[in-house]
């Protein structure tokens, strides 16, 4: 695909003003109804840093598309995760923020590095207090059925244990085994017969900004060959507090880490898109394509893309 790398000003992003040809229009006649959902990352700040505003818009967008579920790509609670099932973060950063009826759907949640600064057991157990909170394990998979009866397999992974800089730090991943997780993912992807295979993690592999502060070599080395080998068309992540899209070796890498605090990204350094607006990702999965759009806290759509399924 020919993607523009011309940067948008923050005003353009917030107002939804796009250069000609940046966003692709969804075809008027779709082959089948979509499976709609929303994705948010890097959000839990007790409503601060635009979290509350993003949450309100996400509720409106979820209602408008009849979203079936929410995916959280980690860093659910800043700065140091949660300490227990009764931590005030649960109320102040989750229950009191995402109150819209359209967000009372299942939330499929993974862990970020800030979650590893706290206790993981409460996040794994919180479904006992909130049925919409779904984190059955540190990494897991689930299958969704599309309108034509075909399957989409979603693989939720735990990326922090792969990052070598976290060893011996406040990000407590030393007791985790990344090799075992990688073997699980390789086996699960290989066993999947679903036409769609989508992998979701907290950290990026590749970003539109590139460079040592944005790409993650510790993930590229083990995961990129695996994604190619198993014909995975898209990897979705958070961690970088921005909205980014880039294609590398035929795979779409989508960063949606703008659920609260963000930064000014500057222009994309690779053909793609990068912006520091606050917001989330809207998605619609169809048998042949995945339609994605970044949505800002004001409801603007600064970038959208239609990602085809990878034959395989």
């Amino acid at each position: 695909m020919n993607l523009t790398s011309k940067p948008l000003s923050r005003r353009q992003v917030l107002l939804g003003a796009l250069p000609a040809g940046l966003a692709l229009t969804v075809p008027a006649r779709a082959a089948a109804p979509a499976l709609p959902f929303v994705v948010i990352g890097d959000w839990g700040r007790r409503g601060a840093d635009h979290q509350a505003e993003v949450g309100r818009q996400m509720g409106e967008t979820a209602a408008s598309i009849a979203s079936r579920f929410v995916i959280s790509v980690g860093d659910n609670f800043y700065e140091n995760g949660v300490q227990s099932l009764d931590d005030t973060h649960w109320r102040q950063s989750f229950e009191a923020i995402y109150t819209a009826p359209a967000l009372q759907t299942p939330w499929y949640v993974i862990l970020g590095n800030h979650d590893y600064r706290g206790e993981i057991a409460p996040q794994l157990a919180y479904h006992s207090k909130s049925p919409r909170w779904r984190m059955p394990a540190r990494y897991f998979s689930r299958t969704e059925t599309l309108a034509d009866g075909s399957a989409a397999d979603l693989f939720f992974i735990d990326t922090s244990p792969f990052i070598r800089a976290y060893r011996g730090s406040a990000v407590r991943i030393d007791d985790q085994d990344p090799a075992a997780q990688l073997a699980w993912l390789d086996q699960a992807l290989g066993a999947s017969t679903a036409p769609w295979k989508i992998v979701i993690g907290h950290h990026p592999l590749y970003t539109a900004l590139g460079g040592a502060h944005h790409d993650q070599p510790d993930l590229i080395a083990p995961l990129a060959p695996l994604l190619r080998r198993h014909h995975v068309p898209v990897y979705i992540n958070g961690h970088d507090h921005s909205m980014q899209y880039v294609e590398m070796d035929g795979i779409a890498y989508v960063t949606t880490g703008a659920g609260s605090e963000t930064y000014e990204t500057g222009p994309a350094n690779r053909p793609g898109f990068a912006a520091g607006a606050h917001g989330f990702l809207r998605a619609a999965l169809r048998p042949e394509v995945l339609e994605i759009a970044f949505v800002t806290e004001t409801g603007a759509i600064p970038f959208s893309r239609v990602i085809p399924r990878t034959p395989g």
Side-chain angles (χ1 to χ4, degrees):
M1 297 179 185
N2 182 23
L3 302 179
T4 180
S5 60
K6 183 180 179 181
L8 298 179
S9 70
R10 189 166 182 85
R11 178 176 175 79
Q12 284 178 305
V13 168
L14 294 176
L15 296 180
L18 300 179
L22 177 60
L24 297 184
T25 302
V26 176
R29 295 182 180 179
L35 175 70
F37 58 96
V38 293
V39 187
I40 189 169
D42 304 81
W43 43 270
R45 295 182 184 275
R46 304 182 194 271
D49 293 308
H50 297 257
Q51 185 199 358
E53 291 84 353
V54 171
R56 282 194 290 271
Q57 182 59 53
M58 192 167 76
E60 294 179 13
T61 297
S64 72
I65 65 172
S67 174
R68 296 273 296 277
F69 53 86
V70 179
I71 293 174
S72 169
V73 291
D75 275 4
N76 308 312
F77 302 100
Y78 286 95
E79 293 284 333
N80 299 306
V82 291
Q83 300 303 314
S84 70
L85 284 173
D86 298 317
D87 196 306
T88 57
H89 244 319
W90 290 109
R91 176 65 185 167
Q92 295 171 355
S93 292
F94 180 59
E95 302 291 0
I97 301 297
Y98 306 107
T99 58
L103 299 180
Q104 308 310 303
T105 56
W107 282 56
Y108 300 111
V109 185
I110 59 174
L111 298 165
N113 51 293
H114 280 272
D115 300 306
Y116 267 106
R117 290 172 174 261
E119 298 296 329
I120 301 304
Q123 294 207 43
L124 292 169
Y126 193 67
H127 65 275
S128 64
K129 288 201 167 188
S130 174
R132 63 174 166 159
W133 185 271
R134 310 286 179 87
M135 188 192 293
R138 295 174 194 246
Y139 50 91
F140 60 97
S141 65
R142 63 171 288 102
T143 299
E144 297 288 344
T145 302
L146 303 184
D148 66 347
S150 64
D153 283 346
L154 309 182
F155 301 87
F156 298 83
I157 65 173
D158 181 16
T159 56
S160 293
F162 289 89
I163 309 300
R164 287 173 290 181
Y166 293 155
R167 298 284 166 178
S169 76
V171 181
R172 295 178 293 172
I173 47 78
D174 289 3
D175 60 341
Q176 297 303 300
D177 185 351
Q181 182 181 174
L182 190 66
W184 167 84
L185 182 61
D186 192 13
Q187 188 279 329
L189 285 169
S192 171
T193 60
W196 275 103
K197 302 175 188 179
I198 298 173
V199 178
I200 299 144
H202 176 64
H203 294 81
L205 276 69
Y206 296 103
T207 64
L209 295 177
H213 296 295
H214 301 282
D215 290 356
Q216 287 286 349
D218 288 348
L219 290 178
I220 292 171
L223 288 179
L226 187 152
L227 299 181
R228 292 193 297 269
R229 184 166 68 250
H230 293 294
H231 307 289
V232 174
V234 60
Y235 174 84
I236 303 173
N237 63 271
H239 187 66
D240 200 308
H241 293 186
S242 60
M243 303 171 173
Q244 294 189 53
Y245 180 93
V246 70
E247 294 176 12
M248 302 291 287
D249 299 319
I251 298 172
Y253 292 93
V254 184
T255 295
T256 178
S260 56
E261 180 186 75
T262 63
Y263 67 98
E264 294 287 354
T265 63
N269 294 317
R270 293 174 171 140
F273 172 78
H278 304 89
F280 56 95
L281 187 74
R282 184 187 76 192
L285 185 59
R286 302 182 188 275
E288 297 299 328
V289 298
L290 172 64
E291 302 159 4
I292 63 166
F294 290 117
V295 184
T296 74
E297 63 185 315
T298 66
I301 298 176
F303 180 86
S304 64
R305 189 61 62 197
V306 177
I307 302 168
R309 192 182 75 200
T310 302

